Amino acid sequence: MTEAEDRVSCETAEGLIVDLMTGNLEGPERARLHDHLAGCPGCRESHAATSALWRELGRLASPAAAEDLPDRFTRLVGRGRGVRLASTPRRRFHRVALALAAGLLLGFWGGWGLSRPAGGHGEGVAAAQGDVGETEYLLLLREGPGWTIPDSTTEAALVAEYTAWARELARAGALVAAEKLVDDGGRLVGSPAGAARVATPEAERVSGFFLVRARDYGQAVGLALRSPHVRHGGAVEIRAIDHGGER
Amino acid sequence: MPVTERSDRELMREIAAGDERALDVLFRRHHGLAYAFSVRFTGDPALSEDITQEAFLRIFRGAATFDGQGRFTTWMYRIVRNTCIDHWRGDERRRRAVEGWREREIPPDSESSGVGATRPDPGMLARLEEAMSRLDRRQREVLVLSRYHDLSYAEIADVTGATPGAVKARAHRAMAALRKAFYAPQTEEAKP
């Protein structure tokens, strides 16, 4: 590299100053920047201003989590009972509960070797419904107008309800998959007013789904009726998966 | 060795095997970083409590995919960021995020940084918050991950899915934009 090529332009120096501030400038590049700064008053001024700004950025308050957040998380995953997320609106913590149920469910399955248990049915679902069938049904958990949670419901209790239902389904061998959906309402695409449009659905949003095995609609309805979602005013839409065979 | 003294990688192996106690230890160790990043990303402290918890549930579910090559925290930031984006898609939340940056309280006794630093001027810090809120989200996240979480360009690239070169370019543009937003009002005020 010639001496001319080795020279740093003021424009390049601006970028190198940022790299220096952020700890991403090493070795020869660092030396080239310092050489440039030594001979360029304008860039020295720029360096001083950027350094001051970087320093002040470090003074901005660091957001601190509530002291009890770890304890709340502990309760969420099942150790301890009975304290509600004080700052969380009810609708949102209902969703957290659903997410937790789905999360624990996968952990539960992991413990079972990602397979349905042979024999041993759960005491709830299977005992009430008899053996599950092979038809798959999609249970869409909707937030209907009656979507409320009683005042006495605590976060841990709600989580326990969802988790217990999910585990019942898993133990009975009825569960195929479950997921909570992102809380943004998703997108609705279509042409209800005559012109194709994309919108965010407002009414009866789907907050999650369970894919289950059942003998028929009757048994699938029985599974859905046991869900905390129905107990708390939500609606569950049940749709059979069409695999092309007869039901 | 007690579970609380195990390394992040050891805990992740145990979490992958379904150990909820290991998840609890990992949450207590790192939730502060995850929460702080989420607040700085979304500007919404209450939402960030949910995001932090949900991110660790995702960590629980995806523990088997952690390859143990990089730092756990880099992987964690990626999951927290994805969780933030999932929660942050609506226009309402975007508006709150910007306002959150503007409204966050500046404590009068913020720790000073660096030798010889003076007590921070609350008005100046408020102006800096305002300048940060004006940055494009991608530019802001690069500055946040670098300044407050000590990540290198390569690590930020890992978190954001961008190339290190793109991260570098964003950092340059972010600082230029921040300088402009921060210093410009003073210049205007100084005019007669």
Side-chain angles (χ1 to χ4, degrees):
Chain A
M1 187 179 288
T2 66
E3 191 177 332
E5 287 170 336
D6 197 36
R7 241 177 255 141
V8 172
S9 69
C10 291
E11 189 181 352
T12 303
E14 284 292 326
L16 294 179
I17 288 168
V18 175
D19 297 340
L20 182 69
M21 293 297 111
T22 57
N24 289 280
L25 191 68
E26 299 295 337
E29 289 287 279
R30 195 181 180 111
R32 289 172 70 209
L33 173 64
H34 284 301
D35 286 347
H36 179 86
L37 292 178
C40 181
C43 285
R44 279 205 300 279
E45 192 177 322
S46 175
H47 175 251
T50 302
S51 296
L53 192 56
W54 192 248
R55 190 170 57 246
E56 298 306 333
L57 268 180
R59 294 179 172 188
L60 292 184
S62 179
E67 283 184 10
D68 66 340
L69 187 59
D71 291 336
R72 280 188 265 151
F73 184 73
T74 300
R75 284 191 284 271
L76 272 174
V77 295
R79 294 186 182 85
R81 292 173 184 281
V83 175
R84 181 185 301 155
L85 238 81
S87 64
T88 306
R90 291 183 168 281
R91 174 169 291 212
R92 220 167 58 217
F93 93 32
H94 213 142
R95 290 169 179 164
V96 170
L98 181 56
L100 179 76
L104 288 180
L105 176 65
L106 293 183
F108 174 81
W109 269 0
W112 283 79
L114 286 170
S115 63
R116 285 192 288 166
H121 292 308
E123 293 175 3
V125 174
Q129 305 290 330
D131 289 338
V132 296
E134 288 305 315
T135 305
E136 291 180 345
Y137 291 87
L138 187 62
L139 309 186
L140 286 166
L141 277 51
R142 293 185 178 279
E143 299 174 2
W147 182 245
T148 56
I149 304 169
D151 286 342
S152 60
T153 304
T154 64
E155 176 192 9
L158 189 61
V159 168
E161 285 184 58
Y162 270 97
T163 307
W165 180 53
R167 286 185 167 169
E168 269 189 11
L169 294 171
R171 284 199 186 97
L175 194 56
V176 179
E179 290 291 349
K180 172 187 170 294
L181 302 181
V182 173
D183 296 330
D184 63 359
R187 296 292 180 273
L188 185 65
V189 183
S191 53
R197 67 191 184 96
V198 178
T200 300
E202 291 300 328
E204 298 216 348
R205 300 199 310 188
V206 177
S207 54
F209 70 85
F210 280 70
L211 185 63
V212 301
R213 290 189 181 90
R215 280 193 315 273
D216 49 30
Y217 266 115
Q219 190 179 39
V221 168
L223 299 179
L225 283 175
R226 296 180 62 83
S227 72
H229 208 74
V230 170
R231 276 201 298 280
H232 291 299
V236 179
E237 179 178 337
I238 304 167
R239 302 294 301 272
I241 302 294
D242 189 347
H243 288 302
E246 292 184 2
R247 281 188 296 279
Chain B
M1 182 191 296
V3 65
T4 52
E5 293 175 17
R6 286 174 199 154
S7 70
D8 292 344
R9 284 179 194 174
E10 288 170 326
L11 290 173
M12 284 302 290
R13 274 196 295 273
E14 288 159 13
I15 291 169
D19 186 340
E20 291 175 11
R21 168 80 177 137
L23 177 69
D24 191 61
V25 171
L26 203 66
F27 184 88
R28 287 173 188 277
R29 188 177 293 173
H30 294 299
H31 77 281
L33 289 173
Y35 175 79
F37 174 60
S38 175
V39 173
R40 285 177 169 129
F41 194 90
T42 67
D44 189 331
L47 175 64
S48 292
E49 291 194 346
D50 284 357
I51 286 174
T52 302
Q53 294 180 85
E54 188 170 330
F56 273 82
L57 291 176
R58 292 185 183 191
I59 286 168
F60 180 60
R61 292 169 59 174
T65 65
F66 176 64
D67 60 13
Q69 296 301 308
R71 285 196 286 175
F72 163 74
T73 46
T74 305
W75 191 71
M76 176 190 77
Y77 286 129
R78 189 162 69 213
I79 291 172
V80 174
R81 178 181 181 272
N82 288 341
T83 310
C84 287
I85 289 172
D86 288 345
H87 278 266
W88 200 55
R89 285 187 171 134
D91 288 337
E92 170 66 10
R93 287 204 167 114
R94 243 179 238 128
R95 183 185 64 73
R96 282 164 51 200
V98 172
E99 290 182 355
W101 265 99
R102 292 176 181 162
E103 290 171 359
R104 256 193 295 135
E105 188 179 350
I106 312 291
D109 294 315
S110 294
E111 289 284 323
S112 59
S113 61
V115 177
T118 56
R119 179 180 286 272
D121 168 9
M124 186 274 295
L125 292 183
R127 217 171 54 245
L128 190 52
E129 291 264 14
E130 169 74 19
M132 281 292 277
S133 76
R134 288 188 201 168
L135 292 183
D136 166 79
R137 192 251 301 162
R138 291 185 178 189
Q139 293 177 359
R140 189 167 69 232
E141 74 180 355
V142 168
L143 290 191
V144 164
L145 286 168
S146 175
R147 187 68 183 98
Y148 305 109
H149 299 274
D150 297 321
L151 265 58
S152 67
Y153 288 160
E155 288 171 320
I156 295 171
D158 198 23
V159 170
T160 61
T163 64
V167 169
K168 183 176 183 172
R170 278 178 203 165
H172 293 179
R173 285 197 295 271
M175 279 306 286
L178 190 66
R179 277 187 59 175
K180 187 176 177 185
F182 181 68
Y183 289 117
Q186 297 180 88
T187 308
E188 291 297 317
E189 286 166 10
K191 286 180 182 173

